[in-house]
Amino acid sequence: MTAVREEFTQTPDPLPRRAVRLAVLGDSTAVGLGDPVPGGSWRGVGPFVAEALGIPPTGYLNTAFTGARMRCVRTDQLPAALRHRPDVAVVIVGMNDTLRSDFDSLGMARDLEHVVTALQAVGATVVTMLFHDHSRVFRLPGPLRRALTARIAELNDVIETIARRHGVACLDLGSLPGAYDLAAWSVDRLHPSELGHRLLARGVTELVADAGIAVPAPVSLVCSGGVTPRTVDHVGWLVVKGIPWLWRRGRDLLPYAAAIVARSALESWRARRAEPLEPELAPRPVER
């Protein structure tokens, strides 16, 4: 009898491809606020991702600016990013929209879909963000906290829907290990600290690696090269910027917050009216 030897060939996994161009689009977090470096400039998530991917200085583009909203990314930042033709594009935007009285989830969905599809059309692997529960980091009065939480939930629904529709990687910031540790936040409690930016960059590069792109130098969580804030910096921010910011955003969110409070009160009142009477309080039948 002749033995028959069966050989099974297994197709090897394709080698990770090297990225040579990176674009970062978005708001102040994308700018790097919260991670100051000597000289008065900001560093943040973009340079950490670029370093991990081995992107040369000429291949790194950051179009982000403070205060940017979803529409700003589409109209003001996207054209430059498309001309750059990035291999990887990181989009961090939406929180500024949640703080405005003209919040428009449908308009945001259209803008984000345009940004994502345009970047994919030039060959970019796109990474977006789902936002965390910011009330666990920055304390707000009850009505404002509920208003902001509801808005963030709407924003995340928009981002997740677009990401699923177009097969885009989406980093859930709320699930990052250490995301709610105070060490991950800067003095303003609005932007990541150096550690927070490193956590964010590590999450981004892990998703990029899952998409088949090489990450030659994984992001380290050891902080270095930044400026460590002092106690006076915390107090100074609260007095000079924190309280005025809360006043401005509170006024903008107040009508929406009031509507949430009124709706909650109405629902509670309706629920109480619908509750059956307790047996001892129910009217007794009249005896004849």
Side-chain angles (χ1 to χ4, degrees), residues 91-253:
V91 182
I92 309 173
V93 70
M95 281 299 292
N96 287 320
D97 290 270
T98 66
L99 300 169
R100 299 299 195 275
S101 56
D102 60 349
F103 179 85
D104 176 14
S105 59
L106 293 178
M108 292 173 65
R110 289 190 294 268
D111 291 337
L112 181 59
E113 187 157 39
H114 179 85
V115 169
V116 165
T117 55
L119 289 168
Q120 288 181 321
V122 297
T125 295
V126 183
V127 180
T128 58
M129 311 284 155
L130 292 178
F131 291 92
H132 55 289
D133 177 6
H134 206 72
S135 67
R136 292 176 58 179
V137 180
F138 192 96
R139 300 298 180 185
L140 290 170
L144 292 181
R145 176 180 54 80
R146 290 192 291 274
L148 181 57
T149 299
R151 283 277 178 82
I152 292 174
E154 281 191 73
L155 168 63
N156 283 343
D157 284 343
V158 165
I159 296 170
E160 190 169 26
T161 297
I162 301 302
R164 286 181 175 176
R165 183 180 300 163
H166 297 284
V168 168
C170 195
L171 180 63
D172 185 352
L173 301 184
S175 68
L176 285 178
Y180 293 108
D181 294 346
L182 289 182
W185 294 94
S186 67
V187 295
D188 61 12
R189 298 293 182 264
L190 299 173
H191 301 97
S193 62
E194 178 185 347
L195 175 60
H197 278 283
R198 288 180 177 275
L199 288 168
L200 180 54
R202 173 177 281 190
V204 168
T205 53
E206 287 174 350
L207 291 179
V208 167
D210 290 341
I213 293 177
V215 182
V219 179
S220 171
L221 297 184
V222 177
C223 294
S224 63
V227 177
T228 303
R230 303 159 298 171
T231 301
V232 67
D233 297 320
H234 288 260
V235 176
W237 179 87
L238 180 64
V239 174
V240 176
K241 294 184 178 180
I243 293 175
W245 179 89
L246 182 59
W247 171 248
R248 291 194 305 272
R249 294 287 72 81
R251 285 187 303 170
D252 215 17
L253 268 179

